[in-house]
Amino acid sequence: MAKTVLVSGGAGYIGSHVTVELFAAGYEVVVADNMSNCDLTCFNGVKKITGREDIPFYEIDCCDYAAVNRLFDEQKIDAVIHFAAFKAVGESVAEPLMYYRNNLVSFLNILEAAKNHGGCNVLFSSSATVYGEAENLPVTEKTPRLPATSPYGNTKTMCEDILRDTVRATETIKGIALRYFNPIGAHPSALIGELPRGVPNNLVPFITQTAIGKRECLSIFGNDYPTEDGTCLRDYIDIVDLAKAHVAAVSRMLDGRMKEGYEIFNVGTGRPVSVQELVDAFEKVNDLKLNYKIAPRRPGDVVAIWADTTLANEELGWKAERTIEETLASAWAWEKSLAGK
Ligand code: UFG
């Protein structure tokens, strides 16, 4: 019988892409989402791509323990992928209590309910933010984590520790934390993608919205950094590649291939790309001119971060495959499809 994976936050950007890849790999999926930062666009897109109209969907808030517990009563869950969280760095600085409550309580509830239902395999969506401004690049999973510069970042570090400690104390719970670098792009079908509410914080949605005319001008935050062209370096990982890393990690847990009860993997490409290079590549591959200007640095940005992906490549048997050109073309196709809706 197919194993069932609960995807919390499954109607969102990363969750919807992961749901598609889980079905493609033969898993059953249950989606839970409180719809606090998305609408039904991506969930409907997932149904179209997979041809599955019957995906179990729980519109619940994972901060509601009774609701999470009921879900575990009703469904036999073999693994959980936990995405349900707030993710805006700036907002977390302004509203720390809201971020700590939401991101920590929801994860505690998932773990508690899993434990009370005989245990589970738990995959936590962490972030390269835990490395801060790392001294040595690229970062490996052994690179020390640095104190986070935002409550959002703190919740990632704390949830990693909560998972590690829970695994240590609970024989029936196994855990993997995936540390994402910068997820970008959309599904090749252009049926699912990133849907930021309001003004996008992240680079690629701001680029595509500028290209389509929703925003007047992109600001490149700083060109006086100590890098070759003066703009920041990041490791942009294609969303479908990222989704496939989740399938690889879940299979590793479900097939009993973990080497330790709690494992961590970087999920990136291993290639640093500057903001300027990304903007240039977007213009080139989509054959357009972007309205942009150089603006002051954005407070809190690290100069450079990219992943050493050796561990994920070797242990998960996973590797990023799509080129940055394919990814940027997919982001633009998605933005155009939204304009047509
Ligand atoms: N940038 C611009 N203009 C913009 C938006 C971003 O120049 O309008 C630049 C940023 O300064 C940065 C790069 O583009 O150099 C990438 O910025 P993003 O906001 O897209 O991504 P970040 O690397 O800042 O953020 C990511 C994740 C966060 C995570 C953070 C820290 O989105 O969840 O990394 O690791 F917290």
Side-chain angles (χ1 to χ4, degrees):
M1 235 194 37
K3 302 263 189 195
T4 301
V5 183
L6 167 63
V7 181
S8 78
Y13 173 45
I14 305 181
S16 58
H17 287 83
V18 168
T19 300
V20 167
E21 297 308 320
L22 285 169
F23 276 120
Y27 292 107
E28 285 299 314
V29 182
V30 173
V31 170
D33 206 301
N34 68 354
M35 311 304 284
S36 68
N37 194 30
C38 64
D39 58 24
L40 280 173
T41 307
C42 286
F43 189 61
N44 290 334
V46 169
K47 288 188 189 167
K48 247 194 210 143
I49 296 166
T50 59
R52 293 286 300 258
E53 277 298 323
D54 59 343
I55 305 169
F57 178 73
Y58 286 72
E59 188 171 343
I60 59 166
D61 188 335
C62 292
C63 290
D64 176 350
Y65 181 73
V68 175
N69 206 51
R70 213 171 310 124
L71 188 158
F72 275 84
D73 283 343
E74 290 172 13
Q75 306 280 345
K76 193 190 162 313
I77 303 297
D78 299 294
V80 184
I81 306 182
H82 182 65
F83 293 112
F86 293 154
K87 61 171 185 181
V89 177
E91 187 184 45
S92 79
V93 175
E95 299 283 353
L97 294 177
M98 185 173 103
Y99 268 68
Y100 285 120
R101 176 178 297 279
N102 186 67
N103 292 8
L104 299 180
V105 172
S106 60
F107 193 45
L108 292 172
N109 283 348
I110 292 275
L111 290 170
E112 194 92 49
K115 185 179 167 201
N116 291 340
H117 286 78
C120 207
N121 299 284
V122 180
L123 196 161
F124 175 65
S125 75
S126 191
S127 164
T129 194
V130 301
Y131 296 117
E133 183 86 70
E135 229 169 89
N136 297 307
L137 292 165
V139 290
T140 76
E141 292 76 358
K142 292 210 164 71
T143 300
R145 295 181 310 181
L146 292 177
T149 52
S150 72
Y152 159 80
N154 260 330
T155 67
K156 291 295 177 195
T157 308
M158 288 172 173
C159 285
E160 284 192 354
D161 290 348
I162 289 168
L163 182 56
R164 180 202 59 207
D165 294 346
T166 305
V167 165
R168 216 178 259 162
T170 322
E171 216 173 298
T172 54
I173 292 188
K174 304 262 174 287
I176 289 183
L178 295 184
R179 292 178 179 159
Y180 316 147
F181 285 69
N182 289 55
I184 61 165
H187 194 265
S189 65
L191 289 168
I192 55 177
E194 195 167 3
L195 262 182
R197 288 215 165 142
V199 183
N201 291 312
N202 297 116
L203 179 61
V204 170
F206 207 106
I207 289 178
T208 58
Q209 290 196 4
T210 305
I212 206 117
K214 263 195 227 171
R215 311 272 155 217
E216 214 166 291
C217 182
L218 166 78
S219 294
I220 292 183
F221 297 136
N223 70 347
D224 55 354
Y225 284 102
T227 61
E228 210 162 296
D229 64 23
T231 65
C232 293
L233 298 173
R234 294 288 183 277
D235 184 336
Y236 296 95
I237 172 77
D238 180 86
I239 189 71
V240 176
D241 282 333
L242 178 79
K244 288 180 176 163
H246 290 74
V247 176
V250 161
S251 311
R252 179 178 175 91
M253 292 199 278
L254 289 172
D255 301 347
R257 283 184 279 113
M258 291 179 74
K259 289 190 175 153
E260 284 166 63
Y262 172 65
E263 298 178 334
I264 301 167
F265 297 102
N266 284 341
V267 183
T269 66
R271 280 187 311 270
V273 172
S274 77
V275 176
Q276 186 68 56
E277 281 173 328
L278 193 93
V279 168
D280 294 346
F282 182 85
E283 290 189 323
K284 187 153 179 242
V285 70
N286 296 313
D287 195 20
L288 48 77
K289 279 270 158 243
L290 200 65
N291 194 20
Y292 70 85
K293 62 170 191 243
I294 304 300
R297 293 179 178 193
R298 181 171 70 176
D301 275 340
V302 300
V303 180
I305 179 117
W306 69 94
D308 182 321
T309 62
T310 311
L311 199 65
N313 298 157
E314 288 177 358
E315 291 295 322
L316 296 179
W318 167 91
K319 204 164 145 279
E321 277 166 359
R322 271 170 113 194
T323 64
I324 192 104
E325 285 78 19
E326 285 172 298
T327 306
L328 291 172
S330 75
W332 181 225
W334 164 245
E335 187 68 59
K336 284 190 291 185
S337 84
L338 288 175
K341 274 187 182 134

